[in-house]
Amino acid sequence: MTSHPRVGPLAAHGDHTQALEVDRLLDDLDTHIIVCCGSGGVGKTTTSAALALRAAERGRKVVVLTIDPARRLAQSMGIAQLDNTPRPVPGIGPGRLDAMMLDMKRTFDEVVESQASPEKAQQILNNQFYIALSSSFAGTQEYMAMEKLGQIYRDAFAHNGGNGDYDLIVVDTPPSRSALDFLDAPERLSSFLDGRFLRLMLAPTKGPVRLMSAGINLVTNALKKVLGGQMLTDLQTFVTALDTVFGGFRQRAQETYKLLQADETAFLVIAAPEPDALREAAYFVERLSGDRMPLQGLVVNRATLPDDASLTAAAAGAAAERLADAPLTAGLLRLHADRALLVERQDQLRERFAVAHPQVPTAVVPALPGDVHDLDGLREIGRLLAQE
């Protein structure tokens, strides 16, 4: 298996920032997963879709999974609606491209249906505590993201010897720092399943000896007064289901975590040329490096690039002052000065990041005049990412 160039603790030392070679990454058949992470509003969903489209049109069999609740991905790909089932994007070749959006509740239900008998599964699916957990419990989205990624990977690779429907999975993660919460999903789930409260709830189901424990009876009676007998029964049924059904999920989540650390995975950090976004990008880089995740590079979106004019911001500003009696010309000069200052500030921000993280290959994508809303727009983003 071909290893990617590493950054962070696994990187070789160097003096200059490398250029991110996007096409080389997409064409590497040993790259099976690309994870795009970054703060909100930096073009992460668009970048994920553009990478997936470019890979498909270079011959890869790609599925792009978005965990971001925004619906832009479906619109830009010409799909009426994205859901938990991969939907083919029409008009793609020579490879193929499918797109899907994580349905947290449906994925949770699929875990239950695959791990329990039909009768037991229906009992769990109708349980009020399960319904609340699977729909809105904090962290469930990250757990299910790990589960869905693992499902797709196993279907495409592990169970089919690499001859499944896909040879590349592109993952668009949630915005902000929660984009990396799925890295903590196995540990959080293990802590939850091994917690004292769950062990206490399971105790009455573990046999007559424990059932007769005075301490357990005391707590159980107290809970009955607070929750009511039926609700306590529902809670114990739910906890028993967690203990028996979701133990397998814990193991699979741990396996997916190891997969994310493997050479076949590549993380891309997406940012905008703004102080807050690049601070978040620095956090992602440091977190990924600390967890020994294979960070492939940084994409800086919507950058303002210098034009061909040699007129500096200072000179344009001075000229505008001298031409106060020609308001149109003076206005154009001020616009030029503002743009030149913006380019200078963005260059300084990128340089500051490069000095702090010299081993992170970087691609800079200039700002487009309008929003990306179709396949042609995604193709243009892909060409800019590849520096064509």
Side-chain angles (χ1 to χ4, degrees):
M1 181 176 291
T2 303
S3 297
H4 298 307
R6 298 286 190 139
V7 300
L10 306 180
H13 294 288
D15 297 328
H16 303 286
T17 302
Q18 308 170 48
L20 176 58
E21 300 181 39
V22 169
D23 283 347
R24 180 180 177 185
L25 173 65
L26 299 179
D27 293 343
D28 183 359
L29 296 181
D30 288 328
T31 300
H32 294 157
I33 300 173
I34 297 176
V35 182
C36 297
C37 54
S39 56
V42 297
K44 182 165 51 62
T45 300
T46 301
T47 300
S48 302
L51 288 169
L53 174 62
R54 188 169 180 86
E57 295 191 329
R58 295 175 71 86
R60 301 294 298 269
K61 297 183 295 182
V62 189
V63 58
V64 56
L65 167 64
T66 181
I67 308 171
D68 190 330
R71 301 287 171 169
R72 296 185 303 274
L73 183 62
Q75 297 169 356
S76 63
M77 291 185 166
I79 300 175
Q81 183 177 0
L82 287 183
D83 53 24
N84 217 41
T85 301
R87 305 291 181 185
V89 178
I92 305 300
R96 61 173 289 187
L97 175 59
D98 289 359
M100 61 187 300
M101 178 178 290
L102 177 70
D103 185 328
M104 179 177 69
K105 177 69 165 61
R106 183 62 218 146
T107 301
F108 219 141
D109 292 349
E110 289 171 356
V111 173
V112 173
E113 293 165 350
S114 66
Q115 298 296 312
S117 65
E119 181 181 354
K120 184 68 173 178
Q122 195 59 47
Q123 183 183 14
I124 296 170
L125 295 176
N126 292 335
N127 186 283
Q128 294 303 310
F129 287 96
Y130 169 78
I131 293 172
L133 174 71
S134 60
S135 302
S136 58
F137 189 74
T140 302
Q141 186 182 59
E142 285 74 31
Y143 301 154
M144 292 303 105
M146 291 287 279
E147 178 69 25
K148 180 55 69 175
L149 175 57
Q151 285 178 8
I152 298 171
Y153 179 83
R154 288 190 296 273
D155 290 344
F157 299 99
H159 292 172
N160 298 292
N163 296 318
D165 291 336
Y166 310 111
D167 59 28
L168 178 62
I169 305 166
V170 180
V171 182
D172 167 34
T173 57
S176 191
R177 295 189 177 188
S178 63
L180 295 181
D181 283 352
F182 69 94
L183 299 180
D184 299 323
E187 182 178 351
R188 289 183 179 181
L189 184 65
S190 295
S191 299
F192 179 63
L193 293 176
D194 295 335
R196 182 179 301 175
F197 177 71
L198 290 194
R199 293 200 304 270
L200 181 64
M201 287 295 96
L202 283 169
T205 70
K206 295 296 188 180
V209 176
R210 302 200 62 179
L211 180 61
M212 297 304 293
S213 165
I216 294 298
N217 281 335
L218 181 64
V219 174
T220 301
N221 289 334
L223 286 171
K224 282 183 179 178
K225 292 179 181 179
V226 175
L227 301 176
Q230 183 58 48
M231 185 170 289
L232 179 59
T233 299
D234 288 345
L235 176 59
Q236 289 175 338
T237 299
F238 167 67
V239 170
T240 303
L242 280 178
D243 187 61
T244 57
V245 173
F246 298 113
F249 170 68
R250 172 168 46 190
Q251 178 182 351
R252 292 191 302 275
Q254 292 168 343
E255 292 172 353
T256 304
Y257 184 88
K258 293 179 182 178
L259 172 64
L260 292 174
Q261 291 180 313
D263 285 342
E264 59 195 292
T265 300
F267 280 83
L268 292 177
V269 176
I270 316 300
E274 301 166 358
D276 289 345
L278 284 171
R279 274 195 295 270
E280 286 289 289
Y283 164 79
F284 287 125
V285 167
E286 291 160 8
R287 171 70 197 277
L288 291 168
S289 298
D291 287 357
R292 301 181 71 82
M293 297 290 173
L295 174 60
Q296 188 70 14
L298 170 74
V299 174
V300 180
N301 272 328
R302 303 168 186 162
T304 303
L305 300 184
D307 53 31
D308 295 332
S310 58
L311 185 63
T312 66
E321 292 297 326
R322 292 195 300 270
L323 296 172
D325 55 343
L328 178 59
T329 302
L332 291 173
L333 287 167
R334 291 191 186 95
L335 286 174
H336 177 83
D338 290 343
R339 178 183 174 86
L341 287 173
L342 180 60
V343 169
E344 183 180 337
R345 285 196 297 270
Q346 291 185 1
D347 285 346
Q348 290 173 349
L349 288 171
R350 294 201 302 272
E351 178 64 21
R352 193 178 306 157
F353 184 96
V355 169
H357 307 282
Q359 297 302 126
V360 180
T362 302
V364 179
V365 178
L368 298 180
D371 292 334
V372 175
H373 54 81
D374 56 19
L375 289 176
D376 286 340
L378 291 176
R379 290 188 180 99
E380 177 64 14
I381 294 293
R383 286 191 287 268
L384 293 171
L385 281 164
Q387 303 179 48
E388 282 190 352

